[in-house]
Structure formats: structure tokens, C-alpha cells
Amino acid sequence: MLELETLKELLTLPRRIVITTHHKPDGDAMGSSLGLYNYLIQKGHHVRVITPSDYPVFLQWMPNNTEVLIYPQQIELSNTFIAEAELVFCLDFNALNRIYEMGVQIQESPAKKVMIDHHLEPQDFDDYRYWSINACSTAQLVYEFIVQVMEEPELINKDVATCLYTGIMTDSGSFRFPTTTPRVHIIVADLITRGAENWKIHQLVYDNFSESRLRFLGYCLLNKLVVLPEYKTAYFSVSAEELKRFTITTGDSEGLVNYALTINGIKLAALIIERPDTVKLSLRSTGDFPANEICKKYFKGGGHRNAAGGQSDLSLDDTVLKFKEILIEYKSLLIQ
């Protein structure tokens, strides 16, 4: 691993830079990526953000979002930028399989790779690393990278502040998760001072859904919620047919799993959802229960202790059965 001081030196001259993030980017992924983009262009760098998939409409209002390339839609152009890049910033993920087909292109690129991330167990594909599992979000780490490593807080303008605030707000659960430390509030206060309109950002992210999404949410709460009090667990399972019925698009199911966790006494919540090529799982937990361990051990995934994801090659019904069988193993942790 190379020293960050060397990276700081590299960034004193204009470079060809690609920024990328994980598949199906969330608020932190896009907020950190566009926040870094809006910082680097002020220094004269030639920068492109390339995402490995599409992302929700409610994240497409951020400054310079129009400059983002979606890899599956512009493969040839994206590959050209990756091949010609001198630096590739990899944000909010720490394993190349998290960016699917793009991972091969990034690995083969002669560019130096820079990882900025807060997830457990990073793989060693990077040359430079700014990483901490104690950060509430990658956007927090991008802020610290600009302020502490690059020593350029004056370049956090309104565009940068807006994007980084979005990332911190979404990945901290609107500042309610345990990772929301006093340090996070100090950073957020600085971002507001530098132009982030906190009320407006919250409205654009959380009050920007379609009517069909709201009806889908009501349908799931009424018909799809299963509570297992003996395991202090609740879950939703949603079929591909149900997604089609409500014309669900990318991001419309985001946050659904958290409703199960709001039930008094529930310690583990799951959303098990049938996608075209696989069954996806999103797990949320409270306290010390290791949601990430279940995803890593049984569902080819991982994440944070209280927020993790995975996937299954089984059918939707069989995946639900497997999940319920796993709960037997963790019962002592769940009921304590």
C-alpha cells in the first residue's frame, strides 16, 4: 500500500480520473462519488463518474449528475475512460466483484486504484487506501480526505457539500444509527455552513417517490409482513410478479426492510426479494446482532453488523425456508 502523501502529490497536476462505486448505488455511493467529482474538477482534473448499474431517480438531482455514465448503457465509452485513466477512485465498496463486469476492466487498467470505504474486510486490489469501519459513511471519509489528507477545506463548495451531506444523511439513517458520533454532527454542521440545504436535501431524497411506490409499500405492510416473535424477527418476501404489478423500479424497495425493525421487540429484520437472475436479501438488526455474519456465511454477501446484504441461487420460497432455518442457529443471540 502506497502512502497517501504520494497520492496528494499526484493530485497536484491535472489527471485523467475515473470514480466508480458499487452495483445499484445508494445515497452514500452517489453522494460520495459526486462529492469527490465536484471537488476534483475544481483542481482541473478530467473526471468521469461511472456506475456499474442504474440508480434511483430520487438520487439523480445532485450537482453534475448529468455527467455520470451508467456502464451497461455506455460500455464502449466507459471502457475507454477506464483504460485511459491515471487514477481510479473506488468508493463505498472494497471488492471488485461488487461492480460486476466493470471489475475486470478496473483490474486490468494501468491506473492507480484508490479505495475510500467503510466496509469490513477489504480486498487488496488497491494502491492507495483511505478506510475506516468507524465512519458512518463513505461520504464522511471523502470529507475527511479533502480536509485532512488534501488539506483543502476551502474547495468544499455548495456542490460538494450538498453531495456529501446526502451521503452522510442516508447512510446514517438520518443521523439515528449508532455510527452517528459527535464528529459526524460537526462535519454535517460544516457542510451546512458551506451551502448544503439540509431541509431541501431531505425532501429531495425522502419525499420524491412515485404513487406506485407508496401503494407497493402499503401492500407489503398489509400482506407481506411476517413476524416471528419466538426469534424476535420480522421479514418481507416479495416476488417478481408483485414487483411487476406495482411497476417497481430501482430504489422503490429501499427502506422497506426498516419498517419491520420498527416493531417493538424485533431484533432482526429481512427483506427477501425475487429479482430476474437471483434472490436478494437485505438484513437489518439492532444492538450487537451480526446481520453481516448471516449474509457472509449463508448468502454470499456481507456488510456492516447492523446492515448487510446477500443473494441466493434458490427460489424465493426456498430462500425464505433457508432463512428461517438459520434463525434456529442464532436463537440464543436473538432472544437474549
Side-chain angles (χ1 to χ4, degrees):
M1 199 66 57
L2 300 172
E3 295 293 330
L4 288 174
E5 275 299 316
T6 311
L7 176 60
K8 184 178 178 181
E9 281 292 316
L10 282 174
L11 290 170
T12 59
L13 296 174
R15 304 289 179 183
R16 297 184 302 277
I17 298 173
V18 164
I19 300 170
T20 191
T21 188
H22 59 75
H23 188 259
K24 294 297 180 183
D26 57 9
D28 188 27
M30 294 311 301
S32 58
S33 295
L34 285 167
L36 183 63
Y37 173 93
N38 285 304
Y39 159 71
L40 290 172
I41 60 173
Q42 294 179 73
K43 294 170 64 65
H45 298 295
H46 308 285
V47 192
R48 294 308 297 250
V49 176
I50 306 174
T51 61
S53 69
D54 62 348
Y55 51 96
V57 171
F58 59 80
L59 297 175
Q60 294 179 18
W61 54 268
M62 281 186 273
N64 279 315
N65 176 77
T66 54
E67 299 300 312
V68 177
L69 294 178
I70 298 174
Y71 185 80
Q73 298 175 9
Q74 295 173 291
I75 294 175
E76 188 174 340
L77 181 59
S78 297
N79 285 343
T80 298
F81 280 118
I82 294 169
E84 295 178 351
E86 298 171 84
L87 290 167
V88 175
F89 280 85
C90 300
L91 304 188
D92 205 34
F93 72 97
N94 59 23
L96 290 178
N97 62 9
R98 293 283 282 122
I99 56 174
Y100 292 68
E101 292 84 357
M102 273 187 67
V104 175
Q105 302 299 322
I106 298 293
Q107 192 167 38
E108 293 179 353
S109 171
K112 295 293 185 184
K113 285 81 175 179
V114 186
M115 179 195 297
I116 303 181
D117 183 54
H118 66 137
H119 294 92
L120 295 165
E121 301 175 351
Q123 290 184 354
D124 293 328
F125 67 86
D126 49 324
D127 300 290
Y128 299 96
R129 182 177 300 177
Y130 194 71
W131 172 77
S132 173
I133 60 171
N134 296 318
C136 78
S137 61
T138 297
Q140 176 185 341
L141 293 175
V142 171
Y143 172 93
E144 293 174 351
F145 176 77
I146 295 170
V147 172
Q148 297 175 7
V149 177
M150 299 303 296
E151 300 180 294
E152 294 178 316
E154 70 280 2
L155 294 186
I156 300 181
N157 59 15
K158 182 175 182 176
D159 287 350
V160 176
T162 295
C163 297
L164 296 184
Y165 184 97
T166 303
I168 294 172
M169 177 190 73
T170 53
D171 238 35
S172 67
S174 294
F175 314 106
R176 74 181 190 275
F177 294 159
T179 50
T180 309
T181 61
R183 168 71 176 157
V184 172
H185 285 291
I186 290 170
I187 291 171
V188 163
D190 187 46
L191 294 175
I192 294 172
T193 300
R194 294 177 184 276
E197 296 175 288
N198 54 311
W199 61 272
K200 186 176 182 180
I201 294 169
H202 190 280
Q203 185 180 61
L204 287 167
V205 172
Y206 293 115
D207 300 332
N208 199 12
F209 295 113
S210 65
E211 178 186 342
S212 61
R213 191 262 183 186
L214 189 60
R215 293 189 182 280
F216 170 72
L217 175 61
Y219 169 81
C220 290
L221 291 171
L222 181 63
N223 300 287
K224 305 301 294 183
L225 176 65
V226 177
V227 180
L228 304 172
E230 68 273 27
Y231 296 109
K232 294 187 177 180
T233 296
Y235 70 89
F236 300 95
S237 66
V238 182
S239 70
E241 187 279 326
E242 288 166 322
L243 296 178
K244 184 178 179 181
R245 189 191 315 172
F246 289 93
T247 60
I248 295 304
T249 60
T250 297
D252 281 348
S253 63
E254 191 168 312
L256 176 58
V257 64
N258 296 320
Y259 283 94
L261 206 60
T262 64
I263 301 170
N264 184 36
I266 293 299
K267 198 167 187 177
L268 175 65
L271 171 62
I272 306 171
I273 191 164
E274 185 181 25
R275 297 295 185 182
D277 55 347
T278 189
V279 173
K280 293 282 190 179
L281 295 92
S282 295
L283 268 57
R284 300 291 184 269
S285 67
T286 60
D288 293 329
F289 187 81
N292 58 338
E293 183 179 309
I294 291 178
C295 288
K296 181 180 179 181
K297 190 174 180 181
Y298 294 104
F299 296 111
K300 299 181 288 186
H304 305 290
R305 176 175 292 272
N306 298 126
Q311 59 186 1
S312 169
D313 296 327
L314 302 173
S315 68
L316 178 63
D317 289 342
D318 286 344
T319 301
V320 171
L321 286 174
K322 180 179 178 179
F323 173 72
K324 291 166 75 173
E325 289 170 358
I326 291 166
L327 296 179
I328 299 171
E329 177 186 341
Y330 286 90
K331 184 172 182 177
S332 60
L333 283 176
L334 287 165
I335 65 175
Q336 69 181 16

